[in-house]
Amino acid sequence: CAEVLDIQSAGLAQRLRHTHAKTAVVAVSGGLDSTLALLVAARAVRQYGLDCGISAITMPGPGTTQRTKGNADALCAELHAGLRTIPISQALELHLKDIGHGDSHDVTYENAQARERMQIAMDVANMEGGIVVGTGDMSELALGFSTYNGDHMSMYGVNCGVPKTLVRHLIKYIADEPGGEALRPTLYDILDTPVSPELLPAKDGAIAQKTEQILGPYELHDFFLYYFLRYGSEPLKILRLACIAFNGAYDEAFIRKCLAMFVRRFFSAQFKRSCIPDGPKVGSVALSPRGDWRMPSDAQCTEWLRGLTE
């Protein structure tokens, strides 16, 4: 964990120095990925003695809960990061009206929020002479679970080589570090919060949209990603390995269903990965189109699914 954090911090520090950035802008939601990005930014500035600030922005919208907003506020306070709260609900409503969108809580409704937040982050970075630090992780890149030109974009993506399961380990590692007592309660509550983009209106103040109910467990998808990317294993082999590794946790039918989803989403999302920002490679392989992973954006998954879904 220490080595991964050092790699992330060193990469970000170099980008901040190279661009003469006056600040690192991080959109903080109170979720896992933005928490890690903010922790890495604070680490980079502190360890490398950068003459650079940290500008955190919370942008509550229709799906934001008090729990995540409160954790974002507490995290920024403990890290002494400059915090701005910029609500997006009014801007979102006006934008949807301008494009003739109705009242549906569809994908347009969700993606418009992510793009509104990125527009704000980019513009604040311009105003303050900084760069936007991306928060998206490797699992989201693999599954295409990001909004094109929304959270998909940044000026440096510190988490691009970190799968979601490792994000959890890194945050827990920081929470348990000596001297981390002040941060610990907030970080542990963030770890205990369901993974969610919070793009649908909250229900009775609670998170209404839970990612793993949509995609399946991240521990499965990260397992698939490891054997697919690191070893080039075909789906039927990955299925056999997963049934052994997760025996007693998930049955074969569920693993098969999640694996088929992984394959479909991985292939259909390549067009997003073909234009991702720079970021540090922290493992043995990465999904950067400039490094380890070159794949046609229109590649078909038919052969990969053969035998898996028949």
Side-chain angles (χ1 to χ4, degrees):
C1 287
E3 185 176 2
V4 171
L5 289 166
D6 284 344
I7 293 170
Q8 289 179 279
S9 301
L12 178 59
Q14 176 61 20
R15 177 54 55 90
L16 290 167
R17 281 194 297 252
H18 182 74
T19 57
H20 305 288
K22 296 178 181 177
T23 187
V25 177
V26 186
V28 184
S29 67
L32 291 170
D33 294 341
S34 67
T35 294
L36 180 59
L38 186 62
L39 291 167
V40 167
R43 215 175 184 94
V45 171
R46 182 178 69 251
Q47 285 189 349
Y48 292 90
L50 301 179
D51 184 19
C52 174
I54 299 175
S55 300
I57 314 173
T58 60
M59 292 169 274
T64 303
T65 61
Q66 186 54 50
R67 181 181 188 180
T68 52
K69 176 66 167 61
N71 281 335
D73 292 347
L75 182 65
C76 293
E78 291 295 341
L79 292 173
H80 305 291
L83 177 64
R84 298 176 63 172
T85 299
I86 306 175
I88 67 165
S89 294
Q90 188 174 355
L92 172 68
E93 184 178 342
L94 179 60
H95 171 66
L96 292 176
K97 181 180 178 181
D98 286 343
I99 65 173
H101 185 268
D103 297 327
S104 173
H105 293 162
D106 57 7
V107 68
T108 304
Y109 176 84
E110 295 185 39
N111 286 342
Q113 295 174 63
R115 294 191 180 109
E116 179 63 27
R117 289 184 170 113
M118 184 50 64
Q119 174 180 259
I120 291 171
M122 290 282 185
D123 290 345
V124 168
N126 287 160
M127 286 173 54
E128 299 184 356
I131 64 170
V132 176
V133 178
T135 62
D137 63 56
M138 191 179 193
S139 304
E140 292 178 344
L141 284 176
L143 292 162
F145 203 70
S146 61
T147 297
Y148 196 94
N149 209 33
D151 55 316
H152 152 267
M153 193 44 61
S154 69
M155 293 159 182
Y156 193 78
V158 292
N159 295 336
C160 68
V162 184
K164 183 76 77 177
T165 45
L166 181 53
V167 170
R168 286 189 174 277
H169 285 290
L170 293 172
I171 293 175
K172 187 176 186 302
Y173 173 83
I174 293 172
D176 293 339
E177 280 185 312
E181 292 80 7
L183 275 174
R184 194 167 297 151
T186 301
L187 293 182
Y188 265 87
D189 194 57
I190 290 170
L191 287 168
D192 194 47
T193 303
V195 178
S196 172
E198 290 193 322
L199 297 175
L200 294 178
K203 293 181 179 178
D204 300 322
I207 293 172
Q209 187 182 25
K210 298 179 180 179
T211 302
E212 290 182 297
Q213 290 181 356
I214 301 169
L215 298 176
Y218 270 115
E219 63 177 354
L220 279 179
H221 288 301
D222 287 352
F223 183 92
F224 303 153
L225 177 61
Y226 177 76
Y227 283 99
F228 177 73
L229 192 61
R230 179 69 179 81
Y231 295 106
S233 299
E234 296 183 3
L236 288 178
K237 179 175 181 178
I238 297 174
L239 175 64
R240 290 196 299 273
L241 293 171
C243 286
I244 295 169
F246 294 97
N247 182 35
Y250 309 107
D251 61 32
E252 181 180 338
F254 182 76
I255 295 173
R256 184 184 291 267
K257 176 185 174 183
C258 290
L259 179 54
M261 177 186 289
F262 172 85
V263 172
R264 290 191 184 98
R265 292 192 67 105
F266 188 93
F267 275 76
S268 65
Q270 178 58 30
F271 77 98
K272 295 183 181 180
R273 294 189 294 271
S274 291
C275 57
I276 57 173
D278 293 335
K281 176 180 175 180
V282 302
S284 57
V285 287
L287 284 170
S288 170
R290 296 169 294 277
D292 298 356
W293 191 255
R294 296 176 179 86
M295 174 182 176
S297 292
D298 299 322
Q300 300 297 310
C301 63
T302 307
E303 289 302 315
W304 282 84
L305 288 171
R306 195 179 303 278
L308 187 64
T309 57
E310 292 174 353

